[in-house]
Amino acid sequence: MVQDSNLGSHISRRFDHELESIRNQVLTMGGLVETQVNRGLKGLLESDSEIARKVVQDDYKINRMEVEIDDKCVKILARRQPAASDLRLVVAIIKTITDLERIGDQAEKLGRNQLELVDDGTSLSNYVNLEHLGELVSRMLNRALDAFARMDVEEALKTIALDEKINAEFEAIMRQLITHMMEDPRTIRSALRVSWCARALERIGDHSKNICEYIVFLVQGKDVRHTGKRDQDS
Amino acid sequence: MQQGLTSEAGSVAGLNNFEATIGENLIDDAKISVRHADVFYGEKQAIFDTSLDIGRNQVIALIGPSGCGKSTFLRTLNRMNDTIADCRVSGSLTLDGEDIYDKKMDPVLLRARVGMVFQKPNPFPKSIYDNVAYGPRIHGLARSNAELDEIVITSLEKAGLFEEVKDRLTAPGTSLSGGQQQRLCIARTIAVSPEVILMDEPASALDPIATAIIEELIDELRENFTIAIVTHSMQQAARVSQRTAYFHLGHLVEVGETSRIFTNPRHQMTENYITGKFG
C-alpha cells in the first residue's frame, strides 16, 4: 500500500523532488485536458465556432506535456531504478499520460466536428441533445483526475462504475441518430458527424476508466484491468 | 506532553511491528529449514525467532540494512559461527531433515556440504590448480591424479573460469584479477560438490562487468546447487534471486517471490528499505 504521506521521504531529497515534479506535471496536464474537453463540449452545445477553433489550436500543448513527462519518467527509470511504490508510480504515470493525451485528441475531435457542422450549415441541437452524455463524461473525467491527485482507490472504483452509464447513454443517442437518418437520408452526412462526437465522448469515458484502474495499481499493486464479467467469460 | 510521548511511542511500535514474518517464509520441499532460530553474541541477541525455508535449486536473497542480522543468519547455516566463542544458536536448523547443530554433525563435513563464498576473494597463496584441488584432497574425493585433474577442470569450467586460466594453472591464484579470483573461490567451493552455496556479498568488491559474470554464474549454478546470497545491492537481489527475505534489526520481516517483493512489498519497512526511504 502506498501511504500518501510517505511519498516524499526518500533519503535522496532530489529523488523526492523528481517524483513530486512529475506527479505535479500530470495534475497540470490533467487540468489542461479537462479544460479542453469542457471547451469542446461548450463549442458543440452552444454551436460556438470561436471556442471550437481554440480547442483545435490548443491540442499541441497537451501533446507537448506528454512528451515532456515521458522523458522525465525515462530518466527516472534509468537513473534511479525505482522499486515498489516508486516503480508503480512511474509506471502508472507513463500509462496515465497516454490516456490523457488521447482524451485531448477526442476533445480536439469535438472541436473539429463543430467546425464541420457549421460548414454544413447546421448544428448539433438539430439532431440530439448531447448535454446529458457530455455532463456524465465531464464529471467522470473530473472524478478520475481527483482520485489520481488524492490517490483515492475508493473514489477510483466508484468512478469506474460511471462508464456503464455513459455507454448506455451513448447507445441511446446512436438509436436517435439512426432514426433521424432513416427518416430523412439527407441528414446522414451531419448525423454521422454528430455520432462521431458522441463516440468521442464515449471514448473519453473509457480513457477515464483506464486512469482509475492505474490508480488502483499504483496504490494497491493490484491489476484490475480486464476483470469485468465480459472478460471473465471469454 | 504526555499525549505527544504516547503517540510517538505508538507510531514507532506500529512501524517496528515484529510480531510475525509477513509472506511465504515456509515452503514445501525445502533444502534447509530453519524454525524459531535465536542467535546471541554473548548477552546481545542478533537474530530473533526466525523461521525460514530455503528452497531446493533456488536462489534466495537476504537483504536488509547493516547490522540487520542477514550475515549472521547466513553463517548459522553452515556453523561458521562456531568459531566465535560467545555465539549461541537455538531453535531448529535442518539440512534435508538432518539437524545441522546435532552433536554428531561434523562441522568440517557440514561445510563441505554447505560451502561459502565471501565478500573479498580469498584465494590461498597457492597455484590456481592447488586452490581448487585443496578441498577434494583433504576430503579424499579423488582416487587418482587423473581424477583430481578432472575435478579441478570441471570446477573451473562450472565457475566460468577455465577458458581464461587453462594455460596457467600453475600460476599463483593471487595473480588473477579480482573478478577472476572470486570465480576461483567459487570453483574452490564447488570442487567438493556441495549441496548448498552461501554467498556473503560475493560481488561487492567487483566492477560491473565482473559482477555481471558472477550473477550469470549464480543463475547457472542454480541448476545443481541451492544458493543463499547476502547482498547490499537491491538490484542484484532483484536480478539473481527467486525469493527475497528482508531482515531488520535481527527480525525476518518479510519473505516472498522476488518479483513481488520488488513491485509490491506488504510490510512498510520492506517498502521503505527498497525504495530508499527513511523509516
Side-chain angles (χ1 to χ4, degrees):
Chain A
M1 281 281 261
V2 178
Q3 289 167 0
D4 196 17
S5 60
N6 198 46
L7 245 188
S9 54
H10 292 88
I11 294 162
S12 161
R13 272 195 295 172
R14 189 186 289 269
F15 190 23
D16 280 347
H17 291 317
E18 287 168 8
L19 290 177
E20 196 56 40
S21 148
I22 51 168
R23 198 171 148 226
N24 287 338
Q25 271 188 293
V26 174
L27 299 181
T28 308
M29 184 179 175
L32 200 56
V33 166
E34 208 181 351
T35 307
Q36 284 285 87
V37 170
N38 289 336
R39 277 196 197 147
L41 262 172
K42 194 171 155 63
L44 265 178
L45 295 174
E46 296 174 8
S47 195
D48 185 334
S49 299
E50 200 52 48
I51 294 183
R53 211 166 283 125
K54 184 92 179 110
V55 172
V56 174
Q57 274 170 7
D58 280 356
D59 186 50
Y60 79 97
K61 292 185 184 167
I62 293 172
N63 299 346
R64 204 167 56 189
M65 284 207 81
E66 187 200 14
V67 173
E68 265 175 43
I69 299 171
D70 241 344
D71 184 55
K72 284 192 177 174
C73 288
V74 168
K75 283 186 179 139
I76 288 178
L77 288 176
R79 298 177 52 154
R80 302 283 182 185
Q81 287 118 39
S85 61
D86 295 339
L87 176 65
R88 299 202 306 270
L89 176 69
V90 175
V91 169
I93 284 178
I94 291 173
K95 287 173 154 287
T96 298
I97 58 174
T98 306
D99 279 275
L100 284 177
E101 191 272 332
R102 298 219 176 125
I103 295 176
D105 289 346
Q106 302 300 337
E108 188 199 357
K109 259 183 219 169
L110 298 179
R112 262 187 216 291
N113 279 305
Q114 165 57 27
L115 297 177
E116 300 279 357
L117 283 171
V118 172
D119 286 351
D120 293 349
T122 184
S123 81
L124 174 93
S125 52
N126 293 334
Y127 297 89
V128 284
N129 185 355
L130 271 190
E131 214 161 322
H132 185 52
L133 178 62
E135 200 254 332
L136 276 176
V137 167
S138 169
R139 189 171 5 129
M140 183 170 182
L141 175 60
N142 179 273
R143 285 177 59 177
L145 292 171
D146 192 46
F148 184 90
R150 291 190 282 118
M151 293 196 186
D152 186 339
V153 169
E154 210 176 309
E155 177 67 10
L157 290 172
K158 277 190 206 154
T159 306
I160 287 174
L162 277 183
D163 195 40
E164 300 254 323
K165 272 193 192 168
I166 288 174
N167 291 345
E169 181 69 15
F170 170 71
E171 295 298 335
I173 282 165
M174 288 307 285
R175 281 194 298 275
Q176 288 176 43
L177 287 170
I178 289 167
T179 314
H180 271 290
M181 290 189 263
M182 286 195 303
E183 274 175 9
D184 182 358
R186 283 172 301 174
T187 64
I188 288 179
R189 184 186 170 87
S190 297
L192 275 176
R193 281 201 198 295
V194 173
S195 79
W196 293 333
C197 293
R199 168 58 90 186
L201 288 171
E202 188 269 338
R203 292 295 297 148
I204 294 173
D206 293 343
H207 290 302
S208 305
K209 182 183 170 192
N210 290 347
I211 292 173
C212 291
E213 289 168 343
Y214 307 147
I215 297 166
V216 179
F217 168 73
L218 160 60
V219 177
Q220 298 185 331
K222 261 195 311 206
D223 196 338
V224 292
R225 291 174 305 168
H226 311 300
T227 49
K229 196 171 180 311
R230 241 183 315 173
D231 294 298
Q232 301 289 304
D233 290 345
S234 59
Chain B
M1 196 62 216
Q2 188 59 43
Q3 177 80 36
L5 274 175
T6 319
S7 69
E8 196 183 335
S11 73
V12 170
L15 199 56
N16 293 349
N17 177 8
F18 292 126
E19 274 167 21
T21 301
I22 291 185
E24 305 83 37
N25 55 326
L26 308 183
I27 57 170
D28 293 334
D29 191 33
K31 180 75 189 172
I32 292 183
S33 287
V34 178
R35 293 290 183 276
H36 306 295
D38 291 305
V39 180
F40 295 85
Y41 293 119
E43 289 297 298
K44 193 185 175 304
Q45 187 161 3
I47 299 277
F48 296 82
D49 191 26
T50 292
S51 296
L52 177 65
D53 283 337
I54 296 178
R56 218 172 280 283
N57 297 86
Q58 262 195 353
V59 180
I60 185 166
L62 312 179
I63 61 170
S66 296
C68 70
K70 57 193 189 298
S71 290
T72 297
F73 181 81
L74 195 74
R75 283 149 192 272
T76 60
L77 300 178
N78 69 348
R79 290 176 59 174
M80 290 295 285
N81 289 334
D82 284 13
T83 53
I84 301 166
D86 59 352
C87 179
R88 281 185 294 126
V89 179
S90 67
S92 147
L93 294 91
T94 57
L95 171 64
D96 275 333
E98 285 177 72
D99 184 359
I100 291 173
Y101 283 83
D102 192 288
K103 290 216 164 41
K104 286 178 219 143
M105 178 69 85
D106 178 351
V108 175
L109 289 180
L110 171 71
R111 286 174 206 143
R113 291 173 68 188
V114 184
M116 190 146 190
V117 176
F118 297 88
Q119 177 175 8
K120 277 220 173 141
N122 52 351
F124 300 133
K126 295 168 180 286
S127 71
I128 293 169
Y129 184 97
D130 286 337
N131 260 283
V132 184
Y134 183 82
R137 276 192 187 123
I138 60 168
H139 289 288
L141 298 182
R143 278 164 300 182
S144 64
N145 281 342
E147 229 175 88
L148 190 60
D149 286 352
E150 187 170 332
I151 292 176
V152 170
I153 290 167
T154 27
S155 302
L156 284 169
E157 276 173 351
K158 278 190 200 155
L161 188 62
F162 184 67
E163 282 305 311
E164 290 160 60
V165 300
K166 62 182 176 191
D167 300 323
R168 47 175 173 146
L169 290 175
T170 53
T174 47
S175 68
L176 298 172
S177 74
Q180 289 172 326
Q181 287 188 18
Q182 193 61 303
R183 277 179 283 150
L184 178 63
C185 293
I186 292 174
R188 190 177 67 193
T189 304
I190 58 187
V192 294
S193 303
E195 298 157 40
V196 181
I197 303 175
L198 309 178
M199 298 186 171
D200 195 351
E201 298 267 1
S204 62
L206 305 180
D207 71 47
I209 303 290
T211 300
I213 294 170
I214 297 283
E215 287 177 5
E216 179 61 21
L217 176 59
I218 290 172
D219 200 47
E220 284 166 19
L221 292 175
R222 180 159 68 86
E223 267 184 44
N224 301 308
F225 307 96
T226 295
I227 297 171
I229 176 171
V230 163
T231 175
H232 270 136
S233 158
M234 240 90 66
Q235 278 81 37
Q236 181 167 71
R239 285 191 297 259
V240 302
S241 68
Q242 284 73 54
R243 287 168 79 225
T244 297
Y246 173 64
F247 284 82
H248 188 93
L249 296 174
H251 296 265
L252 178 55
V253 175
E254 181 166 357
V255 186
E257 265 184 51
T258 299
S259 51
R260 180 185 70 73
I261 294 280
F262 283 92
T263 53
N264 196 10
R266 291 195 203 134
H267 201 292
Q268 190 61 45
M269 286 196 298
T270 319
E271 166 90 27
N272 287 351
Y273 182 68
I274 66 175
T275 55
K277 286 175 189 154
F278 294 108

